[in-house]
Amino acid sequence: MSTPSKQDQTVSPFQRLGFIVKTLRGSHGCPWDKKQTPESLKKYLIEEADELAEAILQGDPKHIREEVGDLFFILILLTTIFEERDKFSANDALKSICEKMIRRHPHVFEQQNDCCEEELRAQWKRIKEEEKKDED
């Protein structure tokens, strides 16, 4: 599988990372990446999130950027595995979170109300509870 070069302006860095992960899991890819499962990646997900939290505490933007990148890698690796299993893709997950954030922020996307933080928290909780009822 050919990955877009660093200079290729036709793909976003997000798309390029997806190509890289698919190459790593492909037939001529990396044995470690190919054998990963959601269960085996759980510890790396937690490690990378912890490293990102630590970088945020340190306040070093370069270190934070590196750790955000590491977390993106694990997330794209996870979504690629689920895509290989015909369960969902990274785009499906992104579409879902976009819809959720719009739905949970009606004060921003539907009406321009000046709400206090307490009202916003109550609204968020109410919307979240309604979503759970809809799932049942």
Side-chain angles (χ1 to χ4, degrees):
M1 173 182 283
S2 172
T3 18
S5 70
K6 191 174 187 177
Q7 292 76 30
D8 189 344
Q9 299 298 312
T10 63
V11 298
S12 70
F14 185 82
Q15 291 169 312
R16 186 164 183 251
L17 181 57
F19 290 130
I20 290 167
V21 168
K22 287 178 182 173
T23 301
L24 291 171
R25 287 187 55 84
S27 59
H28 299 293
C30 171
W32 184 89
D33 292 284
K34 289 171 26 173
K35 75 176 184 178
Q36 296 310 305
T37 66
E39 296 77 17
S40 70
L41 289 173
K42 181 180 172 186
K43 68 180 177 181
Y44 300 109
L45 178 65
I46 293 167
E47 282 177 16
E48 295 302 344
D50 285 345
E51 290 175 11
L52 175 56
E54 182 62 31
I56 291 169
L57 283 175
Q58 293 171 359
D60 179 358
K62 289 180 183 177
H63 189 200
I64 294 168
R65 181 185 65 202
E66 177 186 354
E67 297 305 336
V68 167
D70 291 348
L71 197 50
F72 269 128
F73 174 76
I74 296 299
L75 293 173
I76 295 300
L77 186 52
L78 271 169
T79 57
T80 298
I81 292 168
F82 281 100
E83 187 174 342
E84 291 167 355
R85 296 175 179 183
D86 292 324
K87 299 297 181 187
F88 66 87
S89 68
N91 282 340
D92 295 334
L94 291 170
K95 180 181 175 193
S96 178
I97 191 61
C98 287
E99 291 169 356
K100 181 192 290 187
M101 289 300 105
I102 290 169
R103 188 173 56 250
R104 290 190 182 178
H105 292 85
H107 58 285
V108 174
F109 296 104
E110 292 178 13
Q111 61 216 27
Q112 294 299 321
N113 289 341
D114 292 329
C115 298
C116 70
E117 193 171 330
E118 185 177 310
E119 292 170 331
L120 293 176
R121 271 190 282 238
Q123 174 181 274
W124 182 278
K125 185 178 178 182
R126 186 185 75 256
I127 292 168
K128 195 171 178 179
E129 288 171 359
E130 289 171 7
E131 290 170 350
K132 289 184 191 247
K133 286 179 189 174
D134 291 342
E135 289 175 2
D136 295 337

